[in-house]
Amino acid sequence: MDIIEVSYKELPNNLKPCFLYFGAFLEDKEISVSKLIWLWIAEVFVLETKHKMLKDIAEFYMDDLSGRNLVFATKRRSTGGVKSCRIHDLLHAFCLEKAKECNYLLWIYGDHDPDSLHSFCEKPYYRRLSIYSTREAID
């Protein structure tokens, strides 16, 4: 984790929230890059410039994270861009730990710990909440 921490600290400030956002997804799941990019844009992680569109900037962010080996492309587009990706289990664990530490994201897996669904009320100042659960666990 110390090595990952060093890599995280060396990230430019605009890439840090994008990287931590991977903690909102399930471990070992393939992530659609087009969906991820629109989420980054909606979260205002990507700022528009005069000469580039938001989507192009977000794709550059993805390529940068991939080039740093923090994100792995699992499928590529015919144009060479990343179509879907995932991150290593240790990187996912780091994202979850760092995101919780920074009050950036609280991740709750309700099927494994139904009581944890109520625990987020103890710290209502998290910016994002990801809940993975079945409907029965929530009811």
Side-chain angles (χ1 to χ4, degrees):
M1 286 293 188
D2 292 339
I3 294 170
I4 298 171
E5 178 76 32
V6 170
S7 295
Y8 175 76
K9 285 182 178 179
E10 289 182 7
L11 280 176
N13 287 333
N14 60 327
L15 289 182
K16 288 179 181 181
C18 295
F19 177 62
L20 291 182
Y21 205 80
F22 282 94
F25 295 91
L26 286 172
E27 185 177 331
D28 292 328
K29 292 293 181 181
E30 206 168 86
I31 301 165
S32 165
V33 170
S34 60
K35 178 182 177 180
L36 180 64
I37 283 174
W38 289 116
L39 289 168
W40 285 351
I41 290 170
E43 292 274 4
V44 194
F45 296 159
V46 182
L47 301 176
E48 193 169 8
T49 65
K50 292 180 183 179
H51 305 290
K52 291 187 179 180
M53 294 174 40
L54 290 172
K55 185 176 180 235
D56 295 334
I57 296 168
E59 286 175 354
F60 176 77
Y61 288 3
M62 176 57 67
D63 291 341
D64 196 348
L65 289 170
S66 179
R68 294 169 187 267
N69 293 319
L70 295 172
V71 177
F72 305 104
T74 54
K75 291 181 186 167
R76 294 222 172 247
R77 291 180 169 43
S78 59
T79 58
V82 180
K83 184 175 184 177
S84 61
C85 65
R86 70 176 60 199
I87 63 172
H88 190 278
D89 296 349
L90 289 174
L91 293 169
H92 188 264
F94 175 84
C95 286
L96 291 175
E97 182 179 312
K98 182 59 101 176
K100 191 172 182 179
E101 174 186 313
C102 301
N103 296 333
Y104 177 85
L105 169 74
L106 179 61
W107 192 85
I108 298 172
Y109 201 160
D111 291 348
H112 291 232
D113 183 12
D115 294 330
S116 69
L117 286 171
H118 303 287
S119 68
F120 75 92
C121 292
E122 296 171 9
K123 295 188 177 186
Y125 50 87
Y126 284 97
R127 294 184 191 112
R128 287 154 199 89
L129 178 65
S130 288
I131 300 174
Y132 295 97
S133 185
T134 62
R135 174 174 266 173
E136 293 78 27
I138 294 173
D139 292 340

